[in-house]
Amino acid sequence: MKQLDEMKALSGSYEALFSKRSKLYKEMDLKNQDLEERDYKHYILEHYTFLSRPVIIVNDAIFIGNSKKTVALASKGSISQSV
């Protein structure tokens, strides 16, 4: 839980860390619910598939997901934040 809180501090929100592409997201019909920060945190802690991956932390920058842009920035060790 401490690591999740640290990632939230870098990303700005639990929602930024939450994967809306997760199979469970669709199965649980979460897209039709009004989720709040505490809900995103709860679901991420409840099941690992709700955490967007990969999460790469370089110094004080966090890179979330596997888009080409995010991977390119992370591989350069950029200090820019990409969410």
Side-chain angles (χ1 to χ4, degrees), residues 58 63 70-79:
V58 179
F63 303 91
T70 301
V71 172
L73 287 171
S75 68
K76 290 179 183 177
S78 174
I79 59 170

Side-chain angles (χ1 to χ4, degrees), residues 34-65:
D34 291 328
L35 299 178
E36 297 181 5
E37 277 296 287
R38 70 175 188 266
D39 300 317
Y40 291 114
K41 180 180 181 178
H42 166 79
Y43 286 119
I44 291 170
L45 289 172
E46 182 179 278
H47 203 275
Y48 71 94
T49 61
F50 287 119
L51 178 63
S52 287
R53 293 180 307 273
V55 176
I56 302 167
I57 299 173
V58 179
N59 298 321
D60 290 330
I62 188 166
F63 303 91
I64 304 165

Side-chain angles (χ1 to χ4, degrees), residues 10-29:
L10 291 172
S11 68
S13 70
Y14 292 109
E15 183 177 8
L17 296 164
F18 189 85
S19 174
K20 294 181 179 174
R21 302 174 105 192
S22 167
K23 186 177 179 182
L24 282 177
Y25 181 75
K26 294 174 181 89
E27 289 176 3
M28 296 173 72
D29 196 34

